[in-house]
Amino acid sequence: MRTLNQFFSKIREINQRYAHPTVVMSRGVKFSLAVLRIYLFLLVVLMIYKFITVIKVV
C-alpha cells in the first residue's frame, strides 16, 4: 500500500510541475494546431460514418 501511495504522489508531483506550459506559441502555431484539430476531428467523423454505413449494408 505504501508503494502505491508513493507512486500516486509522484504522479501528482509531475502533474503539478507540468500543469502550465513553458513554451510560448505564436499565432501561426496556434492557428496551425487549431486547423489540425479540426482536420483530425473530421477524419474521425468520416471513419465513424464509414463504419456505420458498412454495418448497415451487412
Side-chain angles (χ1 to χ4, degrees):
M1 191 68 168
R2 181 178 170 193
T3 306
L4 213 55
N5 286 336
Q6 288 176 343
F7 177 71
F8 286 122
S9 68
K10 189 67 173 174
I11 288 177
R12 273 188 235 106
E13 178 188 336
I14 291 170
N15 285 339
Q16 287 174 354
R17 186 182 312 152
Y18 296 107
H20 302 286
T22 56
V23 176
V24 178
M25 293 186 287
S26 67
R27 272 193 216 156
V29 171
K30 288 181 183 180
F31 177 75
S32 298
L33 289 174
V35 170
L36 182 61
R37 274 190 199 135
I38 293 168
Y39 174 71
L40 292 174
F41 178 75
L42 287 175
L43 283 178
V44 169
V45 169
L46 284 173
M47 287 185 346
I48 292 171
Y49 173 75
K50 179 67 176 177
F51 181 74
I52 291 171
T53 56
V54 168
I55 286 178
K56 284 184 179 181
V57 171
V58 175

